[in-house]
């Protein structure tokens, strides 16, 4: 029931308006003060309580917010409330949703709808709750109830959409389609349809049941007039005819569409498909929904049943038609008919009727017409890989000759960029010599600066003409670093990009919605493996908050795990805070549930891998860490990159996400059970059996996620800790192996079964296995680690992970054990069992503490050795740019320095002023500063853990003496 007579939740609106104004302006303290005063006057008002809960949640006090909102919920259920208003319920729903307690919001609306069964507002609120919970059946039932209550078409459509979701996401859901059709037919008989969306939904229901003729009949009848645009109606009609295998009629429909919309590329593909009597689409990459750069040797899965003569006749007819479209349109905007010529020639080649030079000529003609556009290369990327090496050379020569490189023009610059893009797409840069690549990169940078005057009058938010040249030049410099291992090239790559950013001052990019999910892989994996924990936490929290679209994505499961793990890493030195974090996430149980096999199968993978640079096609692969293969052909390299992208969604990615989802629960079980093992009277207590029973299958699953059975995994950690197995053989997952050893030790402490069998007293205990493994793994990282400034790709990320994850989990276990030494409750009665400490185990813990201290001190020593005075570090990096010869780095940085220092009036005041602030030394100084920040943060982490260990060591010494 909506608020009436100026009442908001039963409170005069003038009383609550100032509170909302304060909330909207983020003045939460002021809002809380006003709300508290209002609550004093209305202590049982569910609305005011809900409002207070909302304010507390915004202030970062989730526990208090939940408590207040639960109180509001109780008040709603009490007999003192005579009416429910949607404002109160929606406010509660907002808070419960942000606290990830959608079930509580739903229960409030369910209770309200029970009390007021015909209230439309409440039913709509309940429907929205079910939508947020993906409760498709309940969505449908609620929508049907609303439809029966008021008879509105929109509620019927909500019910039909809910049925479609059940069809899509449940096995056997297609049995509901006849019900949806019957509901719609009944409504049409009594009320007809009034919205285009209703017609589209009706057609969709018929389509899903393969009732194409019935759908065509509906579309051609009176209801067809609901389609506002004739072209939309024709597209739907063409699709239905094609699905009904009425290809001739369908091709005629698509021809009509193309006559009015010649740039409709999808309609052209369907047109051509109908002519050849099979569906035609451009080849798709296995890793993307976008056209791929893969060769098109197996582009179409379906073959036409038509004879070669008929295929050729129909392709000739199609070519004649698109040539008419080309003649009728002379603008530079409509590219479809010209691309269509290329596709038709491709089809001729595929059908075994290559027409001499027609295919290459169609490509050349396309570049003559549209080569200056930034999209030209990507438009035809799929076709470029069909060319022979001679044809590629001819194409590049033709494009190069079509513009005057000495003149300044946007069109000429566009053609030059397209030439480079084509070479980049074909991978021809990989077959050129180091000297040639240096010359090309230098030419790109010079061309960018030379053409800067073209951008002088652009709006600051517009893209600069030719800025793609800097990205391509940087890419070439990265390749030169890969080939030569000369750090100067990598520094120059950074300088080139920084130069471009200085010329064009970008505003901070506000990344929202699905872009956050598809692009986050460029930065989050690196942030997670850095010691910059707070900055990473801010990024992760932002991601987790955006979840409406992500509930069924692999990224959401992964980052949700990361957010909890990150919090545990930040608070690992405080057992109370670790317990609080775990309590707030149901001790990790929900993540374990999300990561079960049935749920994982439904997850989507939304990362945009096409945006990744060539040297790191996936988050786990970096070609720069491998030797450069001089003999590798561009085609081989391209195939290798595509292969990595195609397997990014495979089992290893899923297993990694599953492994992270298990971590919080394993940390909780480890600290929960091992503490009790220190008291001899509880060593064999049955109270721990439940947790032991749960931990075993989790460890089995954890071992499987690394690719081993539990027994084989135990053998691996025993082998590594004893030196019988090389740590390097397990490097990709070494952090996971160390965490596994920590959890095995915890399980071994309180399990009734012998987890780590010991042949005799000389065999290592589970504590000793962890100690040895930690020491060996960290020492190996320090031995292999080189100077940060001079060795990109150093071991810092792995070292950070070792310290902040397995070592942190081990310290949590140790803290739990030490805390259990404190007196528990009242003293035992005389004659009862004493609470004497388990001395052998305390000694094992003390040795482990000392091992951790020694290990972290060795890391600190290495970090101290890495730190240099800023000027000295600056000189080291700048020395890589002082080569001065034509065969090494330094040439491009000289060009950038000269151009930034030169006063060029043609650039315009804005660009000239931007360049005045740029210098190579300034950029390199920021690199040095970033390195120092990294080292300092890691040292702080080590200091914090050493401080804790010193305190623990003192407590242990006191207990043992």
């Amino acid at each position: 029931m909506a608020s009436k007579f100026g009442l908001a939740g039963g409170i005069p609106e003038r009383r609550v308006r100032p509170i909302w104004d304060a909330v909207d302006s983020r003045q939460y303290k002021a809002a809380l003060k006003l709300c508290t005063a209002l609550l004093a006057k209305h202590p049982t008002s569910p609305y005011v309580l809900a409002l207070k809960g909302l304010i507390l949640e915004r202030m970062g006090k989730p526990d208090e917010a939940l408590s207040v909102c639960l109180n509001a919920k109780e008040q709603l259920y009490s007999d003192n409330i005579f009416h429910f208003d949607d404002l109160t319920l929606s406010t509660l729903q907002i808070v419960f949703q942000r606290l990830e307690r959608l079930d509580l919001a739903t229960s409030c609306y369910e209770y309200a709808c029970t009390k007021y069964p015909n209230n439309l507002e409440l039913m709509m609120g309940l429907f929205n709750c079910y939508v947020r919970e993906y409760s498709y059946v309940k969505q449908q039932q609620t929508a049907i109830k609303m439809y029966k209550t008021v008879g509105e078409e929109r509620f019927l459509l909500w019910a039909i959409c809910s049925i479609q979701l059940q069809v899509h996401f449940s096995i056997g859901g297609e049995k509901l389609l006849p019900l949806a059709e019957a509901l719609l037919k009944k409504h049409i008989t009594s009320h007809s349809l009034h919205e285009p969306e209703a017609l589209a939904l009706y057609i969709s229901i018929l389509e899903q049941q393969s009732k194409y003729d019935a759908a065509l009949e509906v579309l051609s009848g009176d209801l067809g007039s609901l389609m506002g645009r004739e072209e939309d109606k024709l597209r739907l009609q063409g699709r239905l005819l094609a699905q009904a295998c009425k290809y001739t009629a369908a091709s005629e429909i698509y021809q009509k569409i193309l006559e009015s919309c010649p740039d409709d590329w999808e309609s052209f593909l369907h047109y051509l498909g109908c002519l050849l009597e099979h569906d035609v689409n451009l080849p798709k990459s296995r890793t993307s929904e976008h056209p791929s750069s893969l060769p098109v040797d197996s582009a179409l899965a379906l073959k036409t049943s038509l004879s070669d003569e008929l295929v050729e006749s129909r392709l000739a007819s199609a070519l004649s038609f698109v040539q008419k479209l080309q003649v009728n349109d002379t603008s530079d905007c409509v590219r479809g008919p010209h691309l269509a010529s290329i596709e038709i020639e491709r089809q001729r080649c595929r059908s075994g009727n290559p027409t001499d030079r027609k295919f290459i000529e169609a490509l050349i003609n396309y570049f003559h017409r549209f080569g200056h556009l930034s999209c030209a290369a990507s438009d035809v990327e799929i076709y470029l890989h069909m060319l022979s090496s001679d044809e590629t050379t001819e194409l590049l020569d033709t494009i190069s000759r079509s513009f005057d490189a000495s003149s300044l023009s946007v069109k000429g610059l566009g053609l030059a960029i397209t030439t480079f893009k084509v070479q980049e797409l074909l991978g021809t840069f990989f077959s050129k010599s180091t000297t040639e690549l240096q010359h090309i990169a230098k030419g790109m940078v010079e061309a960018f600066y030379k053409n800067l005057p073209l951008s002088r009058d652009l709006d600051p938010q517009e893209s600069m003409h030719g800025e793609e040249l800097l990205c391509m030049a940087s890419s070439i410099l990265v390749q030169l670093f890969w080939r030569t291992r000369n750090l100067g090239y990598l520094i120059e790559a950074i300088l080139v990009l920084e130069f471009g950013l200085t010329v064009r001052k970008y505003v901070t990019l506000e990344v929202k919605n699905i872009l956050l999910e598809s692009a986050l892989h460029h930065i989050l994996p690196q942030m997670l493996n850095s010691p910059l924990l707070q900055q990473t936490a801010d990024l992760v929290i932002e991601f987790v908050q955006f979840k409406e679209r992500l509930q069924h994505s692999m990224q959401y499961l992964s980052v949700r795990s990361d957010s909890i793990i990150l919090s545990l890493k930040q608070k690992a030195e405080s057992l109370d805070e670790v317990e609080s974090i775990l309590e707030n996430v149901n001790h990790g149980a929900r993540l374990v549930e999300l990561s079960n096999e049935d749920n994982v199968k439904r997850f989507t993978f939304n990362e945009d891998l096409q945006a990744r640079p060539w040297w790191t096609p996936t988050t786990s692969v970096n070609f720069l860490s491998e030797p450069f293969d001089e003999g590798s052909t561009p085609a081989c390299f391209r195939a290798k990159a595509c292969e990595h992208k195609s397997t990014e969604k495979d089992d290893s990615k899923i297993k990694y996400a599953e492994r992270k989802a298990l971590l919080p629960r394993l940390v909780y079980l480890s600290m929960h059970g091992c503490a009790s093992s220190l008291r001899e009277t509880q060593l064999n207590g049955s109270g721990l059996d439940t947790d032991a029973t749960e931990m075993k299958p989790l460890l089995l699953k954890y071992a499987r996620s690394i690719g081993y059975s539990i027994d084989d995994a135990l053998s691996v950690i025993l082998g590594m800790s004893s030196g019988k197995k090389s740590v390097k053989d397990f490097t990709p997952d070494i952090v996971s192996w160390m965490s596994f050893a920590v959890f095995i030790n915890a399980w071994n402490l309180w399990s009734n079964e012998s987890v780590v069998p010991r042949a005799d007293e000389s065999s290592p205990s589970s504590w000793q296995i962890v100690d040895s493994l930690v020491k060996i793994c960290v020492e190996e990282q320090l031995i292999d680690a080189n100077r940060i400034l001079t060795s990109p790709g150093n071991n810092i990320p792995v070292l950070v992970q070792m310290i902040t994850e397995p070592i942190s989990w081990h310290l949590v276990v140790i803290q739990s054990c030490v805390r259990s030494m404190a007196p528990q409750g009242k003293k035992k009665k005389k004659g009862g069992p004493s609470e004497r400490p388990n001395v052998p185990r305390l000694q094992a813990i003390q040795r482990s503490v000392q091992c951790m201290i020694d290990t972290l001190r060795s890391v600190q020593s290495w970090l101290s050795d890495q730190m240099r005075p800023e000027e000295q570090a600056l000189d080291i990096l700048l020395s890589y740019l002082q080569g001065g010869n034509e065969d090494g780095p330094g040439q491009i940085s000289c060009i950038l320095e000269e151009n930034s220092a030169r006063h060029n009036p043609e650039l315009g005041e804005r660009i000239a002023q931007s360049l005045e602030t740029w210098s190579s030394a300034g950029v390199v100084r920021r690199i040095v500063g970033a390195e120092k920040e990294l080292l300092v943060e890691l040292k702080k982490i080590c200091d914090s853990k050493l401080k804790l260990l010193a305190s623990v060591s003192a407590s242990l010494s006191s207990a043992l003496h």
Side-chain angles (χ1 to χ4, degrees):
M1 295 180 181
S3 57
K4 299 178 180 179
F5 309 115
L7 297 180
I11 308 295
E13 188 175 354
R14 59 186 174 80
R15 296 288 181 87
V16 297
R17 175 50 54 194
I19 300 175
W20 278 111
D21 289 342
V23 170
D24 291 341
S25 59
R26 297 178 179 269
Q27 298 175 16
Y28 299 128
K29 288 184 179 179
L32 183 60
K33 185 176 180 181
L34 291 169
C35 189
T36 302
L38 186 59
L39 193 59
K41 297 180 180 180
H42 304 277
T44 61
S45 166
Y47 177 64
V48 182
L49 286 167
L51 192 52
K52 182 179 179 180
L54 183 142
I55 297 166
L56 289 169
E57 193 283 327
R58 297 288 173 88
M59 294 176 74
K61 298 179 178 180
D63 295 337
E64 293 180 48
L66 180 60
S67 177
V68 171
C69 286
L70 287 174
N71 187 9
K73 182 172 178 282
E74 289 177 10
Q75 295 298 328
L76 278 174
Y77 284 30
S78 70
D79 295 333
N80 298 328
I81 301 300
F82 299 103
H83 74 279
F84 283 76
D85 62 86
D86 187 59
L87 184 58
T88 300
L89 291 169
S90 62
T91 305
L92 276 174
Q93 186 273 324
I94 290 171
V95 184
F96 284 140
Q97 182 179 358
R98 290 174 69 96
L99 294 175
E100 298 190 355
R101 292 303 307 271
L102 291 173
D103 57 313
L104 294 175
T106 302
S107 65
C108 288
Y109 273 101
E110 286 174 339
Y111 181 79
C113 288
T114 301
K115 196 148 186 158
Y116 300 94
N118 295 319
N119 185 284
L120 191 60
E121 266 190 336
L122 296 179
M123 283 192 284
M124 289 175 68
L126 179 59
F127 178 85
N128 289 330
C129 285
Y130 290 142
V131 168
R132 295 183 184 95
E133 290 188 335
Y134 301 96
S135 299
Y136 306 130
V137 175
K138 291 182 178 179
Q139 282 177 218
Q140 175 196 335
Q141 294 168 345
T142 307
I144 289 291
K145 187 175 180 181
M146 287 188 284
Y147 173 63
K148 288 180 178 179
T149 300
V150 295
E152 289 185 24
E153 183 177 287
R154 58 173 172 156
F155 298 127
L156 176 62
L157 300 187
W158 291 8
I160 301 301
C161 286
S162 300
I163 289 174
Q164 285 195 314
L165 288 167
Q166 293 174 66
V167 172
H168 185 74
F169 288 108
S170 62
I171 298 173
E174 62 276 0
K175 295 176 182 177
L176 293 170
L177 290 171
L179 170 63
E181 182 185 352
L183 288 169
L184 281 165
K185 281 185 175 179
K186 185 177 179 181
H187 182 82
I188 290 169
T189 301
S190 57
H191 299 86
S192 189
L193 294 178
H194 302 89
E195 298 294 334
E197 293 80 6
L199 175 62
L201 199 58
Y202 186 26
I203 296 292
S204 174
I205 292 294
L206 294 171
E207 218 177 341
Q208 285 178 280
Q209 300 177 83
S210 301
K211 295 183 177 181
Y212 306 120
D213 290 336
L216 284 165
E217 186 178 346
V218 170
L219 195 60
S220 59
D222 294 339
L223 291 176
S225 61
L226 289 174
M227 284 283 181
R229 296 181 71 246
E230 182 66 19
E231 289 80 9
D232 291 339
K233 184 177 178 180
L234 289 172
R235 289 186 184 96
L236 184 53
Q237 191 175 354
R239 188 178 78 213
L240 291 168
L241 286 167
Q243 289 175 322
C245 297
K246 298 179 180 180
Y247 294 117
T248 301
S251 63
E252 291 172 356
I253 293 293
Y254 281 118
Q255 196 163 321
K256 288 182 182 178
I257 296 170
L258 292 169
E259 285 170 349
S260 60
C261 306
D263 216 22
D264 187 341
W265 181 241
E266 186 176 354
S267 289
F268 167 74
L269 291 177
H270 289 305
Y271 163 67
L272 194 58
C274 291
L275 285 179
L276 302 181
E277 298 190 6
H278 63 65
D279 196 17
V280 171
N281 275 304
L282 282 179
K284 302 287 185 181
S285 165
R286 289 171 290 175
T287 59
S288 172
E289 294 302 318
H290 304 291
S292 159
S293 58
L294 286 169
V296 290
D297 51 354
S298 58
L300 298 176
L302 299 175
K303 292 274 187 181
T304 180
S305 59
L306 304 178
S307 65
D308 291 345
E309 292 78 11
L310 192 53
V311 168
E312 176 58 29
S313 171
R314 292 189 178 183
L315 288 174
S317 172
L319 184 61
S320 175
F321 171 64
V322 298
Q323 286 174 342
K324 288 180 182 177
L325 295 179
Q326 292 173 14
V327 171
N328 293 337
D329 193 288
T330 57
S331 71
D332 281 349
C333 300
V334 179
R335 311 189 309 278
H338 303 269
L339 278 171
S341 296
I342 304 173
E343 174 61 19
I344 290 169
E345 297 303 338
R346 179 178 82 94
Q347 291 292 332
R348 278 179 164 170
C349 293
R350 285 187 51 75
S351 63
N353 295 308
T355 52
D356 297 325
R357 292 177 44 78
K358 294 292 185 181
F359 180 70
I360 181 67
E361 286 176 358
L363 271 172
I364 289 173
N365 289 338
Y366 186 81
F367 279 114
H368 275 310
R369 181 72 177 270
F370 302 105
H372 62 287
L373 300 179
S374 61
C375 60
S378 58
D379 278 349
V380 298
E381 177 183 357
I382 203 74
Y383 304 111
L384 294 174
H385 302 297
M386 295 181 65
L387 299 176
S388 66
S389 57
D390 289 341
E391 288 174 330
T392 299
T393 302
E394 179 185 352
L395 177 65
L396 291 171
D397 289 344
T398 303
I399 301 173
S400 300
R401 290 196 304 270
S402 64
F403 65 93
D404 182 5
S406 62
S407 64
L408 284 183
S409 72
V410 174
K411 189 170 184 176
L413 178 61
L415 282 165
I417 292 171
T418 296
T419 305
F420 287 129
K421 281 184 177 178
V422 170
Q423 294 180 77
E424 188 176 52
L425 289 173
L426 290 172
T428 55
F429 290 150
F430 287 94
S431 59
K432 295 186 180 295
S433 68
T434 300
T435 303
E436 287 176 309
L437 286 179
Q438 283 182 279
H439 180 72
I440 292 170
K442 182 180 176 182
M444 288 176 174
V445 175
E446 290 175 332
F448 172 77
Y449 183 80
K450 175 186 172 184
N451 287 277
L452 263 181
L454 297 173
S455 304
R456 62 178 295 166
D457 297 324
L458 291 178
D459 186 274
Q461 301 305 316
E462 290 186 76
S463 297
M464 306 286 290
H465 292 303
E467 60 185 24
E468 303 100 319
L469 290 168
L470 297 184
C471 295
M472 288 188 283
S474 181
S475 176
I476 290 174
L477 288 166
V478 171
Q479 187 188 149
L480 285 168
F481 163 73
W482 188 24
R483 290 188 180 196
T484 65
R485 295 295 166 182
N486 189 322
L487 186 62
Y489 289 121
L490 204 55
I491 297 173
E492 281 196 309
I494 297 171
L495 292 176
V496 166
L497 296 176
E498 286 282 355
F499 184 82
L501 289 172
T502 301
V503 172
R504 183 194 177 202
K505 297 288 186 182
Y506 285 78
V507 295
T508 302
L509 181 63
E510 189 174 4
V511 180
K512 289 184 177 180
N513 300 333
I514 199 63
L515 182 61
L516 184 63
E517 177 171 356
S518 60
L520 202 64
H521 59 98
H522 287 289
I523 184 171
L524 185 58
Q526 291 75 23
M527 291 287 285
L528 288 170
N529 296 338
S530 80
L532 307 175
L533 300 184
Q534 186 54 52
Q535 294 91 321
T536 310
D538 294 340
L539 185 65
V540 171
I541 288 169
E542 181 183 357
F543 185 89
V544 173
Q545 286 175 343
F546 168 60
K547 64 180 185 180
E548 291 296 333
R549 167 64 179 84
L550 311 179
Q551 290 284 357
H552 290 89
S553 83
M554 182 62 69
Q555 287 88 327
Y556 182 51
L557 170 64
S558 185
V559 178
R560 193 171 181 181
S561 305
D562 285 329
S563 67
I564 300 170
I565 294 169
L566 189 58
S567 297
L568 293 172
K569 287 157 71 169
Q570 287 179 289
K571 305 298 183 181
E573 283 79 66
S574 171
L575 202 58
D576 289 339
E577 293 196 66
V578 167
E579 287 180 330
S580 176
I581 291 166
L582 290 170
E583 186 177 352
N584 286 337
V585 294
N586 195 23
H587 304 114
R590 174 61 177 154
L591 279 179
V592 174
E593 180 186 339
L594 283 173
S595 66
N596 69 44
E597 189 175 350
D598 291 337
N599 283 332
V600 166
K601 286 178 181 177
R602 296 198 297 267
F603 284 142
T604 59
F605 184 92
N606 300 321
E607 290 179 0
D608 179 14
L609 297 180
Q610 299 305 313
R612 295 191 66 83
W614 60 264
W615 60 85
T616 170
T618 72
T619 54
S620 58
V621 175
N622 194 321
F623 294 141
L624 303 184
S625 63
E626 306 170 6
F628 177 75
D629 183 5
E630 294 283 355
S632 178
T633 64
C636 290
F637 177 81
R638 191 168 61 248
K640 184 179 179 182
C642 290
E643 181 182 356
H644 282 298
K645 288 184 179 182
S646 69
T647 58
E648 180 74 346
K649 304 179 192 178
D650 69 2
D651 193 56
S652 62
K653 189 82 174 180
I654 294 172
K655 293 298 182 187
Y656 180 60
E658 288 178 345
R659 191 155 68 243
K660 287 196 294 185
L662 297 176
L663 266 172
R665 187 65 179 172
L666 284 170
V667 170
Y668 167 74
L669 292 174
S670 296
M671 61 189 289
H672 179 67
C674 68
S676 301
S677 68
L678 272 183
R679 307 215 173 265
E680 292 181 347
T681 56
Q682 296 175 332
L683 276 177
N684 296 312
S686 61
L688 301 176
D689 289 348
T690 302
D691 291 327
T693 303
E694 181 184 358
M695 195 163 187
K696 183 174 182 178
L698 292 184
L699 286 171
L700 288 169
K701 188 174 180 180
Y702 191 97
R704 285 198 302 270
S705 74
I706 316 177
Y708 289 77
S709 68
I710 187 73
D711 292 335
D712 290 341
L714 283 170
S715 176
V716 168
I717 61 172
L718 284 168
M720 284 194 290
S721 65
S722 64
K724 294 178 181 178
K725 293 182 184 291
S726 172
V727 171
K728 289 185 178 179
D729 293 339
F730 304 93
T731 295
D733 295 312
I734 193 60
V735 174
S736 296
W737 281 110
M738 292 171 69
S739 292
F740 178 71
V742 170
F743 299 138
I744 286 292
N745 174 52
W747 184 30
N748 192 57
L749 292 178
W750 49 283
S751 174
N752 287 331
E753 58 180 297
S754 179
V755 180
V756 182
R758 302 180 66 184
D760 50 54
E761 288 301 317
S762 64
S763 300
S765 68
S766 58
W767 284 100
Q768 290 170 319
I769 290 169
V770 174
D771 296 345
S772 178
L773 188 59
V774 167
K775 182 180 178 182
I776 289 172
C777 291
V778 172
E779 281 183 352
E780 183 146 324
Q781 292 300 315
L782 296 180
I783 291 170
D784 291 344
N786 296 309
R787 293 270 179 192
I788 293 179
L789 282 176
T790 57
S791 300
N794 60 73
N795 298 28
I796 279 277
V798 178
L799 198 59
V800 170
Q801 272 192 289
M802 288 179 174
I803 294 168
T804 59
E805 293 184 32
I807 290 179
S808 289
W809 314 149
H810 195 46
L811 292 184
V812 166
V813 169
I814 289 172
Q815 289 178 79
S816 298
C817 292
V818 172
R819 187 171 66 177
S820 71
M821 294 188 306
Q824 304 292 317
K826 297 180 180 179
K827 293 183 178 180
K828 296 286 183 181
K829 293 181 180 179
K830 188 175 181 180
S834 63
E835 287 193 345
R836 59 187 180 279
N838 185 326
V839 173
R841 190 148 292 167
L842 286 181
Q843 290 172 336
I845 296 174
Q846 190 176 46
R847 287 192 295 270
S848 191
V849 167
Q850 189 57 48
C851 177
M852 296 299 115
I853 289 173
D854 294 340
T855 300
L856 290 172
R857 282 177 178 168
S858 66
V859 175
Q860 278 191 320
S861 176
W862 180 82
L863 288 171
S864 298
D865 187 48
Q866 292 289 315
M867 293 183 182
R868 300 182 181 87
E870 183 177 320
E871 294 304 318
Q872 181 185 351
L874 184 64
D875 290 341
I876 290 172
L877 287 186
L878 288 175
S879 68
Y880 286 95
L881 303 175
Q882 306 302 320
N885 56 57
E886 295 185 359
D887 295 326
Q891 300 175 58
I892 291 178
S893 59
C894 287
I895 293 172
L896 297 177
E897 288 285 358
E898 292 170 2
N899 289 336
S900 62
R902 183 191 310 162
H903 179 70
N904 186 352
E906 294 181 358
L907 298 180
E909 184 178 354
R910 179 176 61 84
I911 295 177
Q913 285 181 347
S914 297
L915 289 180
E916 287 177 2
T917 63
W918 190 91
S919 72
S920 297
V923 175
V924 175
R925 191 178 294 276
R926 290 202 295 276
I927 296 174
V928 170
E931 178 227 23
K932 183 179 179 181
E933 182 182 5
L934 196 75
L935 296 175
V936 167
E937 288 300 319
L938 182 52
K939 190 174 185 304
K940 285 180 182 178
I941 292 172
C942 292
D943 289 342
S944 177
K945 295 191 185 305
L946 282 169
K947 183 178 179 181
L948 168 68
L949 285 165
S951 174
V952 171
S953 180
S955 298
L956 289 168
S957 296
S958 176
L960 286 168
H961 297 94

